[in-house]
Amino acid sequence: MRVIDLISNHKEGPSISIEVLPPLKGNGTESLFNQLDKMSAFNPLYINITTHHSEYVYRELANGQFERQRIRRRPGTIAIAAAIQKRYDIPVIPHVICSGATREDIEYELIDLQFLGISNLLLLRGDKAKEDRMFTATRNGYNHTTGLIEQVNRFNEGFFDDGSPIKHPGEKFSYGVAAYPEKHEEAPNIEMDMGYLKLKQDLGADYAVTQLFYDNKKYLEFVERARKMGITIPIIPGIKPFAKLSQITQVPKTFHCDMPLELATEALKCRTDEDARALGIEWTTYQCKELIEAGVSNIHFYTVSAVNSVVEVAKKLL
């Protein structure tokens, strides 16, 4: 069932969805499943699983020199998606990204997902590599999400990327995309950024999920402007409570989002991680209740480093 159908068919008050990380390379699934055990009690409509491109690391050789190698710190997005779906019987939405992937890589991901019966995707450009000054597409890859969308559309129509027909096309993929209430960091202005969202919708995106934000006013104004532009797809708010002192400054910097004055004033009073965690829960609960009152039916939680806080918020909402 498509995400928009999951949301529209849910009739018992507000619903939540969550996003999780695959385990680091070499780690098992125990910690992830322990986290999901806590959150599954709140019946999330679906679970997003992030994916990450490879990155360069430098390994010291026996002769004292350093060799540059590419590694993936968090492989296994598709396998984790399948494991979650089997264990919890909750729809999963793996991220498929341009970053670090060739067209062939993407095609094989789609084939594997189809074999597993996973038909919901979140299509993203992905972050630039840490060592790059600006986003650089992998050779025979994509610079923008729109190229990725077009490849998925061709696959849905029954054609591989080289144009050859798929002999036995399976279930078509449904997909969502990202939206940025405070604009993408690389966009020159909000108008152009929203224009790209409109293009993604016109190419076939069923919904959008936002980058995290702390100021509901910015989200609500973004949705209002989007509707005036002809963007009609659901725009699901993405929310993340900060859970320790360092995140109060790190999260806005990393995700390029502002704190409203009221929250920033209270954040400056925090002296310990417990202070920050309590404020994060309080503010997120306020945010979610206000969004629900404004007519939002589904809230998407980014749970990384904040699982226990998300659980506390969910208790107050559901």
Side-chain angles (χ1 to χ4, degrees):
M1 187 179 293
R2 298 180 305 164
V3 167
I4 55 173
D5 296 328
L6 290 168
I7 294 171
S8 63
N9 290 346
H10 183 82
K11 305 299 183 183
E12 302 173 3
S15 61
I16 68 168
S17 54
I18 57 177
E19 179 174 296
V20 299
L21 287 172
L24 285 165
K25 182 180 179 181
N27 291 351
T29 59
E30 182 178 3
S31 176
L32 174 60
F33 287 160
N34 285 341
Q35 294 171 7
L36 288 172
D37 286 344
K38 295 178 183 178
M39 292 183 287
S40 63
F42 302 100
N43 300 314
L45 289 188
Y46 56 90
I47 299 174
N48 277 21
I49 304 96
T50 67
T51 192
H52 302 81
H53 57 68
S54 58
E55 59 187 83
Y56 284 118
V57 297
Y58 291 86
R59 298 192 187 280
E60 187 173 6
L61 303 177
N63 61 8
Q65 294 182 334
F66 286 86
E67 179 181 61
R68 191 169 77 160
Q69 298 179 349
R70 271 198 174 275
I71 66 166
R72 289 188 65 189
R73 296 185 182 276
R74 293 184 185 273
T77 294
I78 293 175
I80 286 294
I84 291 172
Q85 185 167 262
K86 179 180 179 181
R87 182 182 177 102
Y88 296 97
D89 194 27
I90 296 173
V92 291
I93 304 178
H95 293 189
V96 177
I97 64 174
C98 304
S99 182
T102 66
R103 297 181 182 199
E104 185 178 43
D105 293 332
I106 292 163
E107 186 163 274
Y108 287 142
E109 287 181 53
L110 298 178
I111 292 170
D112 286 345
L113 289 165
Q114 206 168 59
F115 285 159
L116 291 166
I118 296 172
S119 59
N120 282 301
L121 312 173
L122 191 68
L123 303 183
L124 308 165
R125 189 199 71 175
D127 297 329
K128 69 178 182 64
K130 291 180 180 179
E131 67 273 6
D132 291 341
R133 184 177 61 85
M134 58 186 295
F135 184 85
T136 303
T138 298
R139 185 177 180 182
N140 198 32
Y142 298 110
N143 274 304
H144 304 288
T145 310
T146 49
L148 174 57
I149 289 173
E150 288 168 345
Q151 180 172 351
V152 173
N153 287 346
R154 287 193 297 274
F155 195 94
N156 280 345
E157 292 164 2
F159 295 94
F160 290 119
D161 189 58
D162 63 4
S164 60
I166 302 172
K167 292 182 179 179
H168 300 284
E171 184 177 356
K172 292 183 178 181
F173 291 103
S174 171
Y175 52 85
V177 294
Y180 300 86
E182 297 172 71
K183 90 171 183 62
H184 190 279
E185 61 174 307
E186 297 172 18
N189 54 63
I190 188 70
E191 290 78 12
M192 291 186 71
D193 200 30
M194 293 180 76
Y196 289 126
L197 179 57
K198 175 68 162 57
L199 176 58
K200 294 173 191 176
Q201 171 190 274
D202 294 345
L203 287 171
D206 280 334
Y207 67 97
V209 60
T210 76
Q211 179 65 279
L212 64 89
F213 59 91
Y214 294 111
D215 190 339
N216 285 349
K217 182 180 178 182
K218 292 186 176 181
Y219 165 79
L220 295 171
E221 288 177 347
F222 178 83
V223 173
E224 183 179 1
R225 292 178 68 177
R227 299 305 180 227
K228 290 179 180 178
M229 284 187 63
I231 299 171
T232 59
I233 57 176
I235 301 175
I236 301 167
I239 302 293
K240 179 183 174 69
F242 47 77
K244 53 186 179 181
L245 202 57
S246 60
Q247 291 176 352
I248 290 175
T249 53
Q250 288 176 352
V251 171
K253 180 180 178 181
T254 301
F255 296 97
H256 307 280
C257 56
D258 291 336
M259 284 188 182
L261 180 60
E262 181 182 357
L263 176 58
T265 301
E266 293 303 311
L268 289 173
K269 299 177 185 177
C270 294
R271 293 292 178 265
T272 65
D273 282 347
E274 188 52 41
D275 290 342
R277 180 177 179 274
L279 177 60
I281 292 170
E282 180 183 3
W283 185 265
T284 302
T285 302
Y286 158 76
Q287 261 195 284
C288 293
K289 288 183 175 180
E290 186 176 65
L291 289 169
I292 291 166
E293 289 175 2
V296 170
S297 60
N298 175 250
I299 294 173
H300 187 69
F301 285 109
Y302 297 105
T303 68
V304 179
S305 302
V307 170
N308 291 332
S309 294
V310 170
V311 167
E312 292 303 312
V313 173
K315 287 178 181 178
K316 297 175 187 295
L317 296 178
L318 304 175

